[in-house]
């Protein structure tokens, strides 16, 4: 077991106990849905990052759990809402909450989780924490709106694609790191370094996700293969593939995709072509470049075991299979 795994083994029980205690305090009508999303196999990546970042910047206290877990609650709320927007019936191999409990109920439970997360942070009485989490949530929602606006948009600019993934994924991971730095009373320069690490890590995380959508079988990912493609989401593997087609072939494929005329067999063949052409691998290469930026952001950090763990976390990010 490497040092990062040992850190997870130590911190995860504390994180899970706190989340369970918060679920128990919610109204009885809300608890089953909250438990369902919290028990769905999440890695608790965001709260672990918050704790690691605070400790890497000198925090040694024991009162960070509510802040760290507020990030997991925010993330869980976005998952509940995302699955409804996407019409996703599976989440990590289990039925999505809205399938079990209904869309209206699930939306309201997501809203309750957002409110709980904000209350946990507000109780610290540290205005920058509330501001950073609120800003991250605003940007996350904006990224999701942008993604919906560009469904089946094969003319999507790569720069706009990066805006979308930065919004829908990276800003919440950035907030986890920035809030950890604020909690540690870091200097403004170190807070920005923490934010840079988180943002780059978050972009890399989503790039790997977008590659995995093409390469990871349902038995591993817990969702149908190429689900983004089937839902009309335009991600980097597809954009890179389209850019390499001759104009006539590109126009034909773009029209069929925009009008949702591709059959399941057509979509499977398209997925195979994109993977065999190396476009999922190129997406992972783009992720590697952002992980390198994250590593550079750690340069001014003081030497510490936690700083080493933040660096160690970058390798598994690129290699993950789900």
């Amino acid at each position: 077991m490497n040092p990062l795994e040992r850190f997870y083994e130590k911190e995860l029980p504390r994180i899970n106990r706190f989340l369970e205690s918060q679920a128990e305090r919610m109204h009885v009508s809300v608890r089953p849905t909250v438990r369902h999303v919290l028990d769905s196999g999440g890695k608790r990546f965001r709260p672990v990052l918050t704790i690691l970042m605070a400790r890497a910047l000198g925090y040694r206290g024991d009162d960070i759990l509510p802040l760290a877990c507020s990030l997991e609650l925010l993330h869980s709320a976005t998952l509940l809402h995302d699955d409804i927007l996407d019409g996703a019936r599976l989440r990590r191999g289990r039925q999505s909450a809205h399938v079990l409990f209904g869309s209206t109920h699930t939306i309201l439970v997501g809203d309750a989780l957002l409110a709980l997360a904000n209350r946990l942070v507000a109780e610290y009485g540290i205005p920058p924490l509330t501001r950073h989490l609120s800003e991250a949530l605003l940007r996350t929602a904006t990224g999701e709106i942008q993604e919906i606006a560009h469904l089946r948009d094969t003319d999507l600019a790569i720069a706009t694609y990066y805006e979308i993934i930065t919004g829908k994924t990276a800003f919440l991971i950035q907030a986890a790191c920035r809030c950890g730095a604020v909690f540690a009373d870091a200097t403004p320069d170190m807070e920005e370094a923490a934010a840079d690490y988180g943002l780059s890590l978050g972009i890399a995380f989503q790039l790997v996700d977008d590659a995995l959508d093409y390469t990871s079988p349902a038995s591993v990912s817990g969702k149908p293969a190429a689900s983004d493609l089937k839902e009309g989401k335009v991600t980097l593997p597809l954009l890179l593939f389209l850019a390499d087609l001759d104009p006539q072939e590109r126009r034909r494929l773009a029209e069929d995709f925009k009008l949702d005329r591709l059959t399941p067999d057509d979509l499977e063949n398209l997925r195979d072509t994109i993977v065999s052409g190396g476009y999922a691998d190129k997406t992972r290469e783009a992720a590697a470049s952002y992980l390198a930026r994250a590593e550079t952001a750690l340069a001014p950090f003081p030497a510490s075991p936690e700083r080493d763990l933040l660096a160690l976390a970058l390798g598994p990010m690129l290699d993950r299979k789900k």
Side-chain angles (χ1 to χ4, degrees):
M1 185 181 294
N2 68 39
L4 186 60
E5 290 169 338
R6 285 197 295 272
F7 185 85
Y8 261 89
E9 188 177 65
K10 177 185 175 184
E11 296 296 335
L12 277 181
R14 299 174 64 235
I15 291 169
N16 286 329
R17 281 195 300 271
F18 183 87
L19 291 170
E20 288 163 9
S21 73
Q22 294 302 307
E24 276 300 307
R25 293 176 186 176
M26 301 187 83
H27 191 273
V28 64
S29 64
V30 173
R31 283 180 214 153
T33 314
V34 173
R35 287 200 188 103
H36 181 78
V37 68
L38 291 178
D39 293 344
S40 63
K43 302 177 184 69
R44 311 300 190 226
F45 178 53
R46 292 153 189 82
V48 166
L49 270 180
T50 305
I51 295 168
L52 257 182
M53 187 60 71
R55 291 184 182 169
L57 293 172
Y59 167 79
R60 291 294 177 264
D62 230 2
D63 57 343
I64 197 171
L65 269 181
L67 172 63
C69 290
S70 72
L71 272 298
E72 187 68 17
L73 295 170
L74 286 176
H75 176 57
S76 296
T78 65
L79 295 183
L80 291 176
H81 291 162
D82 288 353
D83 284 346
I84 295 170
L85 291 171
D86 296 341
R89 302 191 66 81
L90 292 176
R91 165 66 61 180
R92 298 171 182 145
R94 304 171 73 204
Q95 282 188 303
S96 297
H98 68 95
V99 175
L100 293 174
F101 303 103
S103 295
T104 301
H105 175 85
T106 301
I107 289 169
L108 293 172
V109 170
D111 292 345
L113 288 177
L114 294 175
L116 173 59
N118 279 290
R119 186 179 73 188
L120 287 171
V121 175
E123 286 174 350
Y124 283 107
I126 303 174
L129 293 179
T130 304
R131 184 173 69 251
H132 293 319
L133 261 73
S134 298
E135 181 67 17
L137 187 56
L138 174 62
R139 292 188 176 199
T140 300
T142 301
E144 294 286 356
I145 292 166
Q146 277 187 286
E147 183 174 64
I148 292 168
H150 288 283
L151 284 176
R152 302 195 177 280
D153 180 9
T154 52
D155 295 321
L156 179 69
I158 287 181
T160 305
Y161 161 78
Y162 275 102
E163 282 181 21
I164 291 169
I165 67 169
T166 301
K168 75 173 192 173
T169 300
F171 280 126
L172 199 53
I173 292 174
Q174 181 189 52
C177 294
R178 188 187 284 277
C179 286
V182 170
F183 204 71
D185 199 24
T187 65
D189 285 349
M190 292 309 301
E191 182 186 326
E192 286 307 311
D196 288 346
Y197 172 89
L199 192 69
S200 297
L201 183 62
I203 293 171
F205 185 94
Q206 188 58 53
L207 285 165
V208 173
D209 254 14
D210 289 349
L212 284 171
D213 188 66
Y214 284 81
T215 61
S216 184
S219 59
V220 174
S221 66
K223 64 179 184 177
S227 59
D228 287 347
L229 190 61
K230 293 167 185 173
E231 292 163 10
K233 294 179 182 177
V234 180
T235 59
L236 192 58
L238 178 60
L239 288 173
L240 295 174
F241 171 69
L242 288 170
D244 281 350
L245 291 179
D246 68 70
Q248 185 175 353
E249 189 177 1
R250 187 183 190 282
R251 278 193 300 271
R252 178 192 58 76
L253 177 58
E255 183 178 357
D256 287 343
F257 187 73
K258 285 178 181 178
L259 297 176
D260 196 14
R261 292 196 301 225
L262 297 173
T263 68
D265 285 344
D266 291 335
L267 289 169
E268 184 60 25
N269 289 334
L270 177 58
R271 185 189 75 86
D272 288 344
T273 302
I274 288 172
V275 172
S276 63
Y279 298 100
D281 290 338
K282 289 179 181 179
T283 300
R284 282 184 177 271
E285 289 169 11
S289 72
Y290 278 94
L291 291 173
R293 295 186 193 186
E295 187 169 19
T296 298
L298 291 175
F301 278 57
S304 71
E306 292 83 8
R307 186 254 181 234
D308 293 342
L309 291 178
L310 288 169
L312 188 62
L314 301 177
M317 184 67 60
L318 191 61
D319 298 334
R320 65 192 176 92
K321 305 299 181 185
K322 61 179 180 178

